[in-house]
Amino acid sequence: MSQPALNRNGVRYHLPDFGPPGRWLKLVFPDPAGGSDLPALGYHECEADDLCRRAIDIRVDGRVRLAFPGGPDGDRLPKRPLHVPPEREGGDTLYGAISRQEFEALWRAFSRT
């Protein structure tokens, strides 16, 4: 079952029912400026089934977007489980687990305005 919500523009969207946080991930995109809309860095808090509960996207130009349920960018959370391996290096992306403390420190730092 999903939860209906409205984004900051008044558009209706649905968020999944989240479980408690299970792991925290860092994704590094080495060349996001190549015409894609991907961030340079992505940090994700996931529940046990890898549904994203909160996300921090950092763009090449320094812009930061926080996505979370009920937040202005909550509709931009990934709608499907991330299915990111625990650790992988190579290709175009580096995936890796981070600690809860590291994610929380980043969230607090970027939440301040």
Side-chain angles (χ1 to χ4, degrees), residues 49-111:
D49 292 329
D50 284 341
L51 281 172
C52 186
R53 296 169 41 91
R54 294 188 291 172
I56 303 167
D57 289 339
I58 304 171
R59 306 286 176 184
V60 174
D61 63 6
R63 289 179 296 143
V64 175
R65 187 191 80 209
L66 302 178
F68 56 98
D73 292 323
D75 56 326
R76 295 184 185 177
L77 284 170
K79 305 269 189 282
R80 297 185 175 94
L82 290 178
H83 296 296
V84 174
E87 295 288 336
R88 185 179 121 207
E89 189 170 347
D92 293 338
T93 309
L94 172 103
Y95 300 114
I98 60 171
S99 70
R100 177 181 196 156
Q101 293 80 10
E102 184 177 354
F103 182 89
E104 291 295 343
L106 289 165
W107 188 267
R108 281 191 307 274
F110 291 125
S111 294

